[in-house]
Structure formats: structure tokens, C-alpha cells
Amino acid sequence: MKWKEQILNLRAYQPGKSIEEVKRQYQLDSIVKLASNENPFGYSPNVDTALKEFHSSFILYPDGGAFKLREATASLLGVNKDQLIFANGTDELVQIISRAMLEHGKNTVMATPTFPQYKHAAIVEGAEVREVELVNGSHDLNKMLAVIDENTAIVWVCSPNNPTGSYIPEDELRSFLESVPEDVLVVLDEAYFEYVNDSYNSLAFLNQFPNLIIMRTFSKMYGLASFRVGYGVSSATNIKRLEPVRLPFNTNVLGQLVASAAITDQDFVKSCRQRNSEEREKYYTFCQENELHYYPSQGNFILIDFGRDGDEVAQFLLSKGLIVRSGKSLGFPTSARITIGLEESNERVRSAIKELLEKGVELQEDFS
């Protein structure tokens, strides 16, 4: 079989344990999943209304142009409809962009650690990956600029960054964009944009920088992760180049329906942002009181350094019915990334962490 050589050592994405799996393994009735940065506050009531009123047939293909969703999104963002591309989550959009621009002989620049699909997609396409270490959890934009050369096709910028939650200030982003060569595409991944307090309008950069594309999603703040809808915003020219790479009918009927309904309810977005911020602050206070290092986050998650094996920390919390993400697979081997949940869930996590800290060296013995 003539497999691409570069994929032979690639690992498929490994999802965390499901709630039902943890219930069976630990004989627990109450499980809280805080590993995938889903929205614990749910989704807009508009979504249920839209689903109840849906009476179309499932034998027909979805609208390949996502007309209604395109109209609703363009209206909210204040952009033209031809500036949008929709995808089966931003994961697919990463794949579309990479397939359109990367190949052997080209390179792509990104921070590390960051969202792993940038690197994964680049390797599949046979491109060179140039990674620049984070500084205190944030992008080192100057060093990223320094490694760009004539063969660079894409630069990935994740803000807020996953898994640290760091957010790039407006002046720093503008300076960076002014310095990137015009023939290099800058992908600004804003999957967690709606969670940012006092955010600036990054869409305003599109008029000045035609080599910019912004990615956003309905999986996080809008609470529609199972429907898999993400989108990109760029110049009409860039979108026209990307569209032939997009698979036909890549967003399904129900995904388009619920995303169209959810985006009209910005009061829900504001409420979730406020509640998430309040709960996130409680984690900050807890970490400070217990001398735990954490990364200040503008997302709906927090990365905490426990100074011990991240898998052991995640396993201990799992035994308490709390599913979190070990930092080991995220590039932070002594940390865990915890999604900000409901108030009672967060209290339960902090109580378990307190117990973990009191156990001290016993933890290693328990899970060795």
C-alpha cells in the first residue's frame, strides 16, 4: 500500500472518556465532564424552538451554500455574505486551509503548545512545521515573525490560545499583521472569542490586511458542539479560493438550522460570558490561596500546574467522577486543563483538588 510516509507515525485524535464509560468504570452515578470546553450553560432557547418548528424532509441534501446561516452570520458580523465560508467545525476549516495552501517545500508557522490540528493537518499535507515556544503561556509573535521565510504559506495564531487561554492585545496583533509578508496567510483562530471580556473587533483588521482569515465556531459559547458548525471570515477573494476545496454539503441541515437560531440570541451570549467570568475568577482565588500556578484565561477553561504528573492528577479527579484533560497531551506535563462548569460542578472540582493536595506524595503511590 502506498501510504503517505508522513502519516505513518501520526496518531488519530484521542477523545477523552465518555460519561457512560466513567460511570461503568468507577460505579458512580454523578459524573461531570469538564474536559472538552463545552458550554455547561447549554444553548439558546431559540434552538429548541427552531427544532420544534422544523418540518423539512431528511431525504434531501442540505443547502450547500448555507443561505440562511450565511445571512444571519453576515448580518451580525457586519460583513458581506461572500466573505464567509462554513465548515463541519473549525477542525474541517483547518483542513480546508491546509489542503489549499500547504505541500512539500512549503512551511507553516505556529506557536507551541497550541491547538494541535494545525500541526496535524500540515504534516498530512507534507509541509514543514515551524513551532515557536510560548512565553508565559502567550504567543511570541516576534520570534514567529523571525522564522517566516519565502516558503512560508500559513501562520496560525490562536487567541484566546488553547490550552493556556492567553489573549493577544489589539496593538500587538496589529503590529504583527503589519510585519507579516502579504503573500503569507494569517489564520486567527477565535474559537473562544465570545468568552473574552472587553474584546476588540478583530474583524476590522480584514479591510487592512487581505492576507487574514478569522475562524470562529458554534461549538463553544453557542453550546452546539454536537452539530459541528464552524466558519471563517476573510476577503471575498480568499473565500473564493477556499470554496473549491470545501466538500459539498459539509454542514448538515440541522446544524445550519440551529446555528441560524443561536446566533440571533446575543443576550444568551452575554449571560454566558458573565457567568463564565464569575466562575473563572473563583478558580483564580482558589489557586492563589493554595499556591497553585495557573494561566490567566480569556476562555471557558483554566490550565493549572500541579507540579506533578498531569495524568495522575486527571486520574485522581476521574475517580471522583470529574473528567478533566491532562496537560500531558497538551504540552504541559504537570498540569490539567479544566473547563469552567456550573457553580456546583466547579465547587466539586475545587473540593477534589483540595483533597488531592492534602494527599501529597500518596497520589503517586495510588496510581502507580
Side-chain angles (χ1 to χ4, degrees), residues 105-158:
K106 292 184 179 178
N107 68 70
T108 180
V109 176
M110 63 196 69
T112 186
T114 190
F115 185 53
Q117 289 306 112
Y118 312 148
K119 181 177 181 178
H120 188 98
I123 292 173
V124 170
E125 300 304 327
E128 177 193 353
V129 177
R130 296 184 175 181
E131 297 178 290
V132 176
E133 290 283 342
L134 298 174
V135 176
N136 297 323
S138 299
H139 285 58
D140 189 335
L141 297 178
N142 289 330
K143 284 192 177 180
M144 291 175 70
L145 286 171
V147 299
I148 294 174
D149 63 17
E150 66 276 7
N151 295 317
T152 304
I154 306 172
V155 178
W156 304 90
V157 179
C158 189

Side-chain angles (χ1 to χ4, degrees), residues 314-334:
Q315 186 68 29
F316 177 82
L317 295 177
L318 193 64
S319 71
K320 303 296 181 181
L322 302 165
I323 308 174
V324 303
R325 187 74 182 271
S326 167
K328 238 180 181 179
S329 62
L330 303 174
F332 292 88
T334 60

Side-chain angles (χ1 to χ4, degrees), residues 275-283 340-341 343 346:
R275 294 170 72 184
N276 179 78
S277 181
E278 291 171 355
E279 290 301 313
R280 192 172 57 202
E281 287 291 334
K282 294 177 184 177
Y283 272 105
I340 308 299
E343 181 178 11
N346 298 327

Side-chain angles (χ1 to χ4, degrees), residues 207-311:
N207 293 328
Q208 184 179 350
F209 304 104
N211 61 330
L212 173 66
I213 183 169
I214 298 169
M215 299 196 305
R216 293 182 183 175
T217 183
F218 289 93
S219 295
K220 302 304 179 184
M221 174 65 85
Y222 289 99
L224 302 176
S226 66
F227 289 99
R228 311 306 299 125
V229 182
Y231 64 95
V233 196
S234 190
S235 69
T237 300
N238 290 339
I239 299 301
K240 187 176 180 180
R241 293 291 187 189
L242 290 172
E243 278 289 353
V245 187
R246 178 181 65 83
L247 292 175
F249 313 116
N250 62 330
T251 54
N252 66 73
V253 171
L254 296 180
Q256 292 182 28
L257 176 75
V258 296
S260 301
I263 203 170
T264 62
D265 190 354
Q266 291 303 303
D267 286 339
F268 172 81
V269 170
K270 293 175 183 176
S271 173
C272 288
R273 179 166 53 243
Q274 178 62 32
R275 294 170 72 184
N276 179 78
S277 181
E278 291 171 355
E279 290 301 313
R280 192 172 57 202
E281 287 291 334
K282 294 177 184 177
Y283 272 105
Y284 293 169
T285 301
F286 175 82
C287 288
Q288 291 161 8
E289 290 174 348
N290 290 278
E291 299 182 343
L292 289 171
H293 175 74
Y294 66 95
Y295 292 88
S297 171
Q298 286 288 344
N300 66 334
F301 56 87
I302 182 170
L303 184 68
I304 302 175
D305 189 346
F306 292 88
R308 61 184 77 184
D309 188 289
D311 286 351

